[in-house]
Amino acid sequence: ALVKEAASTKFVEAVDVAIRLNINPKYNDQQLRATVALPKGTGNEVVVAVLCDASKEAEAKEAGAAFAGGEDLIEEIAGGMMDFDKLVATPDMMPKVAKLGRVLGPKGLMPNPKAGTVSPNVSEAVTALKAGAVEYRAEKGGIVHLAFGKSDFSVDDLMENLNAIVQSVNANKPPGAKGIYWKNCYLSTTMGPSIKLDLEQLVTKE
């Protein structure tokens, strides 16, 4: 509720969570990268493109993909077409997608099995992304940062999304994490101040 009050600007702000974990992603066994399905969505309209063969193009479009295609779409992306937020690829397309690494890599758009964006089931992947599946990873310092709603969401909806994140972070705890896993957790809106959360209530409330 405090976070909603702190959102004072005229536009609808994103609500972010920053979680500091007791891990060092420099080490392979302490890396955290996963996808969480936010039950109440992100509040954003997600534009999805799908790289697949012709037999799956209709299926991808029916699921809500804005773009679907094979080598023709790869060429368009290589030429600078970036009118999408997420890119899904079927496993058979990945060797051809490799040449897009320089274009997609810096934007974090390279399809990845861990992020749910490399899948033989294109309709399932598109539906999940459009429904609010978001990828997260622990950056340097063990910090996970992601937006999980908007300031016009109800408090209950924000809490439901936040609980899904907490459960996902716990479920994907790296094998090399030792001692206390959660260090601290802050919420904020785009322009608002950070608010520290009570970890005991948050992490044990599952």
Side-chain angles (χ1 to χ4, degrees):
L2 268 175
V3 171
K4 282 171 66 69
E5 284 166 29
S8 55
T9 54
K10 297 257 191 298
F11 66 93
V12 176
E13 298 179 41
V15 180
D16 300 316
V17 62
I19 302 162
R20 190 152 176 248
L21 301 169
N22 187 23
I23 55 174
N24 185 347
K26 195 169 73 172
Y27 301 104
N28 282 341
D29 66 349
Q30 292 187 42
Q31 288 174 359
L32 173 65
R33 182 176 184 175
T35 302
V36 58
L38 298 178
K40 298 301 178 183
T42 59
N44 291 331
E45 179 59 39
V46 182
V47 180
V48 182
V50 178
L51 294 170
C52 57
D53 66 31
S55 67
K56 294 192 173 180
E57 284 180 27
E59 182 191 336
K61 289 271 178 77
E62 271 171 38
F67 308 97
E71 292 187 36
D72 51 338
L73 187 52
I74 289 174
E75 290 309 319
E76 276 186 59
I77 295 168
M81 194 287 280
M82 301 293 280
D83 301 333
F84 51 87
D85 305 306
K86 297 284 180 186
L87 181 64
V88 171
T90 51
D92 57 302
M93 294 300 288
M94 283 310 288
K96 295 170 184 171
V97 177
K99 72 174 190 178
L100 297 175
R102 266 186 303 185
V103 185
L104 300 173
K107 295 181 184 294
L109 287 169
M110 195 70 181
N112 182 296
K114 278 189 181 174
T117 46
V118 174
S119 172
N121 189 333
V122 293
S123 60
E124 197 176 273
V126 171
T127 303
L129 289 169
K130 289 192 76 71
V134 290
E135 184 191 3
Y136 64 89
R137 63 164 71 194
E139 307 290 349
K140 211 164 78 172
I143 292 169
V144 172
H145 183 260
L146 74 161
F148 67 99
K150 300 282 187 183
S151 56
D152 63 351
F153 278 31
S154 72
V155 173
D156 286 348
D157 285 357
L158 287 171
M159 280 310 299
E160 205 174 321
N161 278 353
L162 184 58
N163 284 334
I165 293 167
V166 170
Q167 287 174 24
S168 176
V169 169
N170 282 337
N172 291 286
K173 183 177 179 178
K178 300 281 186 282
I180 294 167
Y181 184 38
W182 290 70
K183 281 188 171 178
N184 53 47
C185 181
Y186 289 87
L187 295 188
S188 63
T189 57
T190 309
M191 310 293 279
S194 288
I195 296 161
K196 190 172 185 177
L197 294 185
D198 180 343
L199 281 185
E200 209 169 307
Q201 275 197 314
L202 183 70
V203 181
T204 57
K205 220 186 89 175
E206 291 178 50

